[in-house]
């Protein structure tokens, strides 16, 4: 697996520069002196978990890297597939220093880290990922965060006494006697440490396995002159004993078949071995044996002090690769051995010797096939080199391009921007500087005294706040420089430039310090190679084929070419031709000036044509000063067998659209039921790495296409000069194709460099709403991505890969991975194909339209507009789809007219482009039908965003193109109606409603139309509209709807009855109008209490009667609405009248009337309605004029009860009218009148006093309630009592019957109250019924009045005053018989006779009555005799 990659590039992980640390401090109790005098090197390394290449392992694509600096060790766990939390651990050893690197081993359910300090050894235990995560983690979403192995680490766990040991070297001065060490965990769990002491001895410390009760064992291996075991297979000169200059420089532990072996390099340039089991010396290897003689002679007397040993364990402990870096004064080299154990002996075999480069070695490691080295060159730049160590490979160093340091020079003077804007864009571009670096730069810039050294915790802050802090810091410095003095504009700009440059320099310094390399490590299973730096970590990835051709002289292997471009097959000669072409392109690249390149890119950004823009670069090469370059290019091209074919091949390779990742055959398919690929490179780190590789690839290939176009432009010139012969050159086709590729790769470069913007929440919600309306799938992880945008810089590509793009890529990854073993070297087999798949998803000429949809879904509205603008003039693929999504953006940004234009322009490709077809869900192939459906989607969209005028426009447009039988026509008419009505266009809405061909929809629209007009109070419009045309007649439906609404509506809020009344009156249907108003009145009586309810009820009855009187006399009747009880008639106030009426049929519906016969339908005429109105009017008058409103508001009274209330209120006129109307007795009313008269008379101060008191004041009030009372009467009477008696007199004159029942009632009431009857009443009563008055006198014991009345009555019968008693004749011959109340008179005489003996007055009365009666009898006899004579004579 290691031999298939020949060229690499570096990518940095920006996410590891802005992390939080868990801090732990360890104090072992060991003492240390002279700590400041000795410093150990900063070291770094890494460890990849076992099973990192297994598809379904929780350790997949997961590793740990570490750094040490003085007394601090930092451990970081990284997963490229899952996001981890609490993954960074920083341990500080108090008053101690770390002397070596860290050994990390997996042991069961633990991960063990072994490290050594100058006074102690430590075993750090962490939970293994398999103990923390079950297999179900692959079923979690990619945005899920899982705990790191460092998540639950605490001081208590780290400082467990069983896991560390303080070293005891004896004596009192132990400081820094130990200068090197290593640790190893045996198979039985024992931790073994080998420590090199300055006196030349080796200290072995054994820490018992976990859970055992043993204690640490410390053993010292001292130098001896006797070897207990020799190295077999070597010449005698290699077998060296111990020499005086044998101090140990570096030490390592490695497991071999015979046990754990200690390997040490010494100052005498020998590699020595000891057994850690029995501590025997195993032998030594002279490292100078494989050094050239010149070097050996120069250095054999100069001991090596910088030798470094590294080992690589082969399988089954049979063999160990041992690599030793030999560092001399002016040379360095690597010597590599393969040490095997055979026949009880260790046999070293020399593999290779490699000379180092000029520079300082930082770190290196060796694998089974290669040695990787990390250097710092004399210029201070880092350098990574590797070389093959197998016999069949060439053994020379191959350099890997690493990330260059930042350029301090910024051309601000020649830019038309403010220095502040230029520097801010550069500082915060693509996360170029981490927040930690920027914070440190702020502190340095402000000359802060706060410490920023290695080991401080960094807390991330939002980027907006960080940018504000930067601006504030620089502006504060500028203000301090300016002070109070006035400064010219040019000087101020210069000062700005100076201060911003100073701050930018601080950022670069800290950035370069953080980019200092410390170590290198690899994972041979996955192909991962990591470079650990002071504040981040970089990774080496296999270089794509095109990049290899363009950047270096190393040609790709066949396997690499097939990996990057499946389906392409090249001959050996074609590979050579590509190499020639690559050299030509590199020469062109070196000639393209930076200004020319920037101008070319700016032209593309402004949608320029590459064919025109490239001319400046071609002119530069055609300049006289560059003739030698052109000549070299022509010479190189002449070495190619087929230049044109090479250009065509490279052009095809550059075209991402030609890549195919087809699914494996059925028998080779990966089991998708267990999706082990759903999380590959899905963590923030993994996506960041993919995005950066994508960017590097896009930039490189953009330059390749650009330089290839320059080369093509140069070909005609070379051909014309005769320096080159090219057959079949089609210049226009090549320039067009290359121009297309340049634009495509510029687009890829743009999306990988453009920062995503966090849009407003409302805008993102609008987009989600649109997706739901259109039936498009929502984009995954939207919430988490939007949250990330607020916390860190993300490019458009990173946003895409975090969501839709990453999911699509991982789905396609199944098609290319070998399914048989369930393993994958992700960095070699998966990474570059995933980059190519990502590029294909973004590639504009590949259908699918995933990337623009992603921009829309994640709120990147400005970016989408720029994307569409970049493609507008040259890309014909998905043109309408781009217009559609741009319209979505405009709509979410409240620009509906622009959105409408975009949507309309996209309509003609609805049946062509995949995206538009996808969300249309087509069930027909009729173009017009499909277009109408498209417009319906848009209509729903604009409706949701409340743009009714545009909805109407779209609906009318769709209606005009629809076929007459299109099933969507009713829907379009309904949309027009609904939105016209919403805009207040009642007439237009009416026309749309009447034009709807669907009767059911028309009725629905009608219902909504009526309700809305009522709510808007456009009642005149509602009534005036005809609701019928030549085909449709909706008037019955209007009535039905309004009646239904009227019954169900709350009368206190909605009133449909008045509307129905006006509607029927408008159409001269007066009886229906009257019926409606009567229904309204009945409902008001039960539902609307109080004064307002009565007023409305009264108006309803008046309107009802008015309508009936306006109609035909034959139809002046209505059907009383059916109430809660099916009775025949019901007086007002009955229980059945309390519930709201429910009219079961219309009056004109004879069938309905017949059905109601069983329920005793009651027909009401005007007279019956007038009665009900009278009661309501009486209630209304009572509420307006009396204090009984609370009683009347809570109850509905019968007519007799109403009469009683009117009487009590003094409203006698109305009471008498109700009695007459309902044929009720007036007795109670007259009783009320006489009582008021009596109380008023009794309450007067004096019968002759003209001054009113409270009684009379109140009397004037109720007297004025009655129309019988007038001001004239008041003037005539002068006094309230007199007016009251006069009112009573008038009532008696008006309402008295022949029987005199009301006189009797008045007289009886007055006499009961002990009040004398007024003279006018007596005169009136005598004429009506004097005998009854006499009887009342007798009943109330008024003997004197009875005697006077009887006497007068007797005299009247005798002819004296007969006119006062209403007698027509008197007692005389020939007259009609005259009747006397003999019984009453007898009773009176008897009563007087009883009292005459006791009282003289009664005796006189008795005599008076007796004598009068005697006279009457005498006259009676005479008259009788005369009558008999007359009879005889006749």
């Amino acid at each position: 697996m290691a031999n298939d990659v020949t060229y690499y590039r570096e990518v940095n992980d920006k996410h590891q520069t802005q992390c939080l640390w868990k801090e732990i401090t360890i104090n072992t109790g060991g003492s240390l002196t002279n700590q400041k005098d000795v410093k150990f090197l900063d070291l770094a390394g890494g460890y990849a978990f076992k099973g990192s290449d297994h598809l379904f392992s929780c350790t997949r694509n997961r590793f740990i890297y570490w750094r040490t600096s003085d007394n601090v060790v930092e451990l970081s766990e990284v997963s490229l597939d899952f996001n981890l939390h609490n993954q960074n651990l920083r341990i500080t050893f108090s008053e101690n220093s770390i002397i070596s690197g860290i050994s990390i081993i997996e042991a069961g359910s633990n991960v063990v880290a072994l490290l050594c300090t100058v006074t102690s050894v430590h075993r750090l235990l962490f939970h293994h990922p398999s103990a923390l995560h079950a297999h179900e983690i692959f079923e979690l979403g990619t945005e899920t965060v899982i705990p790191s192995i460092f998540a639950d680490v605490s001081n208590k766990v780290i400082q467990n006494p069983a896991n560390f040991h303080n070293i005891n070297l004896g004596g009192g001065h132990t400081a820094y006697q130990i200068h090197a060490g290593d640790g190893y965990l045996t198979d039985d769990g024992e931790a073994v440490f080998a420590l090199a002491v300055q006196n030349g001895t080796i200290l072995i410390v054994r820490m018992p396995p976990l859970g055992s009760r043993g204690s640490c064992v410390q053993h010292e291996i001292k130098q001896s002159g006797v070897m207990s075991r020799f190295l077999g297979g070597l010449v005698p000169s290699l077998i060296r004993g111990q020499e005086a200059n044998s101090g140990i420089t570096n030490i390592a532990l490695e497991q071999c078949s015979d046990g754990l072996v200690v390997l040490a390099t010494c100052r005498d340039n020998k590699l020595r071995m000891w057994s850690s089991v029995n501590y025997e010396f195993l032998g030594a290897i002279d490292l100078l044996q494989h050094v050239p003689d010149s070097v050996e002679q120069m250095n054999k007397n100069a001991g090596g002090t910088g030798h470094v040993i590294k080992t690589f364990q082969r399988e089954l402990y049979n063999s160990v690769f041992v690599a030793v870096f030999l560092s001399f004064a002016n040379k360095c080299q690597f010597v590599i051995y393969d040490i095997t154990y055979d026949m009880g002996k260790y046999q070293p075999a020399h593999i290779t010797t490699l000379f180092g480069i000029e520079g300082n070695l930082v770190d290196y490691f060796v694998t089974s096939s290669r040695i990787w080295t990390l250097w710092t060159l004399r210029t201070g730049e880092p350098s990574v080199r590797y070389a093959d160590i197998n016999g069949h490979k060439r053994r020379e160093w191959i350099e890997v391009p690493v990330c260059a340091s930042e350029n301090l020079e910024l051309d601000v003077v020649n830019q038309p921007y403010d220095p502040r804007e230029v520097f801010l864009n550069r500082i915060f571009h693509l996360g170029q500087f981490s927040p930690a670096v920027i914070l440190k730069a702020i502190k340095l810039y402000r000359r802060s005294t706060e410490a920023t050294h290695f080991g401080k915790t960094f807390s991330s802050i939002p980027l907006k706040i960080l940018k504000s802090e930067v601006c504030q810091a620089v502006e504060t410095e500028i203000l301090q420089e300016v002070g109070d003095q006035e400064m010219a504009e040019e000087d101020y700009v210069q000062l700005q430039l100076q201060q911003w440059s100073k701050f930018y320099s601080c950022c670069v310094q800290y950035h370069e310090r953080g980019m200092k390399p410390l170590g290198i490590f690899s994972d041979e299973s996955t192909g991962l190679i990591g470079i650990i730096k002071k504040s981040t970590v970089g990774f080496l990835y296999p270089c794509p084929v095109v990049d290899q051709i363009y950047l270096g002289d190393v040609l790709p292997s066949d396997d690499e070419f097939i990996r990057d471009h499946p389906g392409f097959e090249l001959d050996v000669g074609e590979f050579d031709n590509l190499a020639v072409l690559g050299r030509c392109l590199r020469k062109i690249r070196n000639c393209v000036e930076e200004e020319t390149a920037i101008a070319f890119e700016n032209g593309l950004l402004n949608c320029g044509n590459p064919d025109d823009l490239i001319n400046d670069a071609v002119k530069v090469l055609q300049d006289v000063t560059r003739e030698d370059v052109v000549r070299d290019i022509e010479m190189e091209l002449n070495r190619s067998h087929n230049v044109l074919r090479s250009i065509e091949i490279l052009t095809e390779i550059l075209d991402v659209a030609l890549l195919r990742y087809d699914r494996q055959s059925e028998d080779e398919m990966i089991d998708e039921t267990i999706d082990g690929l759903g999380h590959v490179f899905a963590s923030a780190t993994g996506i960041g790495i993919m995005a950066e590789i994508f960017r590097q690839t896009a930039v490189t290939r953009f330059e390749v296409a650009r330089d290839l176009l320059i080369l093509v432009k140069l070909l005609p010139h070379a051909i014309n000069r005769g320096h080159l012969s090219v057959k079949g050159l089609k210049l226009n086709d090549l320039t067009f194709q290359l121009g297309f590729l340049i634009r495509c790769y510029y687009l890829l470069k743009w999306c990988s460099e453009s920062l995503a913007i966090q849009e407003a929440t409302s805008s993102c919600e609008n987009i989600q709403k649109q997706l739901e309306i259109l039936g498009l799938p929502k984009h995954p992880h939207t919430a988490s991505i939007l949250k990330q945008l607020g916390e860190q810089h993300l490019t458009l590509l990173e946003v895409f890969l975090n969501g839709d793009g990453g999911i699509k890529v991982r789905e396609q990854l199944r098609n290319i991975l070998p399914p048989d073993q369930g393993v994958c070297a992700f960095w070699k087999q998966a990474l570059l194909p995933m980059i190519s798949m990502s590029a294909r998803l973004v590639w504009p000429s590949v259908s699918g339209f995933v990337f623009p949809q992603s921009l829309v879904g994640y709120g990147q509205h400005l970016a989408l507009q720029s994307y569409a603008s970049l493609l507008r003039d040259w890309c014909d693929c998905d043109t309408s789809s781009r217009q559609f999504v741009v319209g979505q953006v405009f709509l979410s940004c409240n620009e509906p007219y622009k959105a409408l234009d975009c949507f309309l322009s996209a309509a003609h490709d609805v049946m062509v482009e995949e995206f538009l077809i996808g969300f249309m869900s087509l069930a027909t192939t009729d173009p017009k039908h499909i277009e109408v459906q498209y417009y319906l989607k848009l209509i729903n969209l604009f409706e949701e965003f409340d743009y009714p005028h545009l909805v109407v426009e779209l609906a009318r447009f769709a209606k005009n193109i629809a076929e007459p039988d299109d099933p969507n026509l009713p829907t379009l008419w309904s949309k027009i109606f609904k939105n016209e009505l919403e805009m207040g266009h009642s007439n237009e809405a009416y026309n749309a409603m009447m034009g709807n061909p669907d009767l059911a929809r028309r009725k629905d629209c009608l219902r909504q139309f009526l309700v809305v007009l009522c709510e808007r109070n456009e009642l005149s419009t509602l009534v005036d509209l005809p609701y019928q045309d030549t085909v449709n007649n909706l008037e019955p439906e209007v009535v039905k709807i309004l009646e239904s609404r009227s019954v169900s509506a709350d009368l206190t809020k909605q009133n449909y009855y008045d509307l129905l009344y006006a509607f029927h009156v408008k159409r001269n249907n007066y009886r229906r109008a009257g019926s409606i108003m009567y229904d309204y009145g009945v409902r008001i009586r039960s539902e609307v209490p109080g004064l307002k309810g009565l007023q409305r009820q009264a108006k309803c009855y008046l309107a009802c009667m008015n309508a009936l009187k306006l109609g035909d006399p034959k139809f002046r009747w209505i059907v009383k609405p059916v109430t809660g009880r099916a009775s025949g008639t019901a007086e007002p106030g009955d229980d059945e009248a309390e519930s709201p009426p429910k009219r079961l049929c219309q009056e004109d519906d004879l069938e309905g009337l017949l059905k109601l016969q069983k329920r005793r339908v009651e027909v009401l005429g005007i007279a019956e309605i007038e009665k009900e109105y009278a009661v309501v009017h009486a209630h209304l008058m009572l509420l307006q004029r009396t204090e009984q409103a609370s009683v009347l508001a809570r109850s509905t009274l019968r007519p007799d009860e109403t009469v009683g209330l009117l009487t009590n209120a003094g409203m006698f006129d109305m009471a008498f009218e109700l009695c007459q109307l309902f044929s009720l007795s007036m007795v109670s009313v007259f009783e009320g009148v006489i009582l008021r008269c009596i109380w008023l008379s009794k309450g007067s101060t004096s019968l002759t006093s003209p001054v009113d008191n409270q009684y009379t004041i109140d009397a004037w009030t109720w007297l004025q309630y009655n129309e019988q009372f007038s001001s004239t009467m008041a003037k005539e009477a002068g006094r309230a009592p007199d007016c009251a008696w006069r009112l009573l007199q008038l009532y008696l004159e008006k309402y008295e019957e022949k029987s005199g029942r009301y006189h009797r009632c008045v007289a009886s009431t007055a006499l009961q109250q002990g009040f004398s009857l007024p003279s006018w009443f007596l005169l009136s009563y005598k004429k009506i019924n004097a005998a009854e008055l006499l009887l009342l006198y007798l009943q109330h014991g008024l003997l004197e009045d009875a005697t006077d009345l009887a006497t007068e009555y007797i005299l009247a019968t005798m002819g004296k005053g007969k006119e006062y008693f209403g007698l027509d004749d008197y007692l005389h011959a020939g007259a009609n018989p005259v009747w006397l109340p003999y019984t009453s008179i007898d009773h009176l005489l008897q009563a007087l006779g009883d009292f005459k003996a006791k009282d003289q007055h009664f005796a006189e009365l008795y005599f008076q009555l007796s004598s009068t009666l005697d006279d009457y009898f005498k006259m009676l006899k005479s008259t009788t005799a005369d009558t008999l004579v007359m009879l005889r004579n006749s």
Side-chain angles (χ1 to χ4, degrees), residues 150-169:
F150 305 134
D152 58 350
V153 175
S154 62
N155 284 63
K156 182 179 180 181
V157 174
I158 294 295
Q159 298 193 77
N160 186 347
N163 292 323
F164 75 89
H165 172 70
N166 287 324
I167 299 170
N168 181 16
L169 294 178

Side-chain angles (χ1 to χ4, degrees), residues 451-472:
T452 57
H453 58 80
F454 179 73
K456 288 289 182 180
T457 299
F458 164 67
S459 298
S460 62
I461 59 176
L463 293 176
K464 291 181 179 179
I465 298 177
L466 188 58
K467 186 176 289 188
S468 175
E469 287 291 326
V470 171
C471 295
Q472 183 179 356

Side-chain angles (χ1 to χ4, degrees), residues 983-1042:
M983 291 186 291
H985 303 161
S986 302
N987 292 328
E988 290 80 359
Y990 170 79
N991 294 332
M993 174 184 68
M994 298 302 294
N996 200 319
D998 189 339
L999 179 60
R1001 285 184 179 271
R1002 197 184 312 132
K1003 290 182 179 180
D1004 292 340
C1005 293
L1006 177 62
R1007 182 178 300 275
Q1008 185 180 0
F1009 181 72
L1010 297 176
V1011 171
V1012 171
L1013 288 188
C1014 291
E1015 291 175 350
R1016 293 177 181 168
N1017 206 28
E1018 298 181 17
L1019 304 182
S1020 60
T1021 302
L1022 189 152
V1023 172
D1024 293 340
L1025 291 172
Y1027 300 102
Q1028 58 184 354
D1029 52 24
T1030 56
V1031 180
N1032 305 310
N1033 182 14
L1034 295 180
E1035 279 193 7
E1037 194 66 28
V1038 172
V1039 174
K1040 181 179 178 181
I1041 293 172
L1042 291 179

Side-chain angles (χ1 to χ4, degrees), residues 1365-1410:
F1365 287 87
L1367 299 177
D1368 296 333
D1369 206 350
Y1370 61 90
L1371 188 61
H1372 62 86
N1376 292 325
V1378 178
W1379 173 84
L1380 280 178
Y1382 291 109
T1383 303
S1384 299
I1385 294 174
D1386 288 343
H1387 289 163
L1388 178 59
L1389 288 173
Q1390 183 179 357
L1392 292 173
D1394 293 339
F1395 289 100
K1396 66 180 181 179
K1398 300 177 182 178
D1399 192 328
Q1400 180 61 36
H1401 181 63
F1402 287 105
E1404 293 176 356
L1405 293 177
Y1406 181 83
F1407 175 75
Q1408 175 184 338
L1409 179 58
S1410 298

Side-chain angles (χ1 to χ4, degrees), residues 1063-1202:
F1063 186 85
H1064 289 308
V1065 169
K1066 178 74 176 179
R1067 288 151 180 78
N1068 299 324
N1069 194 346
Y1070 296 109
R1071 186 160 66 86
R1072 291 286 297 277
S1075 178
I1076 288 296
M1077 295 313 292
Y1078 182 80
D1079 292 354
Y1080 185 27
V1082 174
R1083 277 197 65 193
I1084 289 175
R1085 180 170 60 197
S1086 61
E1087 296 182 19
V1088 185
L1091 177 62
K1092 290 184 179 180
L1094 287 173
Q1095 289 174 338
R1096 291 167 66 181
Q1097 190 178 2
K1099 290 178 181 179
C1100 290
Y1101 289 151
L1102 287 173
C1104 176
M1105 292 185 290
N1106 182 58
L1108 292 176
K1109 290 177 181 178
L1110 289 174
D1112 191 334
K1114 294 186 297 182
F1115 298 101
R1116 290 179 180 174
W1117 55 271
I1118 61 173
V1119 176
K1120 188 171 184 178
V1122 178
T1123 57
R1125 175 177 81 184
S1127 62
T1129 60
E1131 293 296 331
D1134 287 352
D1135 292 340
E1136 67 172 305
E1138 299 300 318
S1139 59
K1142 308 292 181 184
R1143 186 169 297 279
L1144 298 182
C1145 68
Q1146 305 298 337
E1147 289 80 354
D1148 297 333
D1149 186 2
L1150 295 178
E1151 253 182 64
L1153 288 174
L1154 292 175
K1155 290 180 182 179
L1156 288 175
Q1157 284 182 350
K1158 295 181 180 180
R1159 303 185 67 175
R1160 298 179 63 190
V1161 174
E1162 181 178 358
V1163 177
L1164 300 178
I1166 295 178
E1168 288 78 8
I1169 298 173
E1170 285 180 345
K1171 289 182 180 180
E1172 295 192 25
Y1173 168 73
V1175 174
V1176 173
H1177 181 66
H1179 290 175
L1180 183 61
M1181 293 299 103
L1182 283 169
L1183 282 174
Q1184 290 177 343
R1185 298 181 179 180
T1186 67
E1187 298 179 355
Q1188 303 181 36
S1190 59
V1191 177
L1192 290 175
R1194 294 192 300 268
S1195 62
T1196 303
L1197 305 177
R1198 298 190 301 273
D1200 55 342
E1201 295 174 333
T1202 305

Side-chain angles (χ1 to χ4, degrees), residues 189-200:
E190 182 184 36
V192 180
F193 297 89
L195 306 174
V197 186
Q198 287 181 350
N199 61 8

Side-chain angles (χ1 to χ4, degrees), residues 789-845:
L789 289 176
E791 297 174 351
Q792 56 183 303
H793 281 311
L794 292 180
T795 62
L796 297 176
L797 180 66
E798 286 178 289
V799 171
F800 178 59
L801 294 179
N802 267 292
D804 300 317
I807 294 174
K808 293 286 184 183
V809 167
R810 295 180 197 99
E811 288 176 355
Q812 296 179 14
L813 187 61
R814 299 190 186 98
N815 301 336
I816 66 169
L817 294 182
D820 50 352
Q821 298 179 355
V823 296
C824 174
F826 293 102
W827 282 81
K828 299 174 184 177
Q829 295 177 277
L831 182 58
L832 288 185
M834 291 179 72
I835 300 301
S836 298
M837 294 170 187
S838 303
R840 200 168 187 276
L841 291 175
V842 183
W843 197 259
S845 64

Side-chain angles (χ1 to χ4, degrees), residues 663-671 819-820:
R663 179 171 288 280
Q664 306 282 345
S665 61
E666 291 298 324
D667 56 345
E668 296 180 345
M669 286 176 57
I670 296 177
D671 184 6
D820 50 352

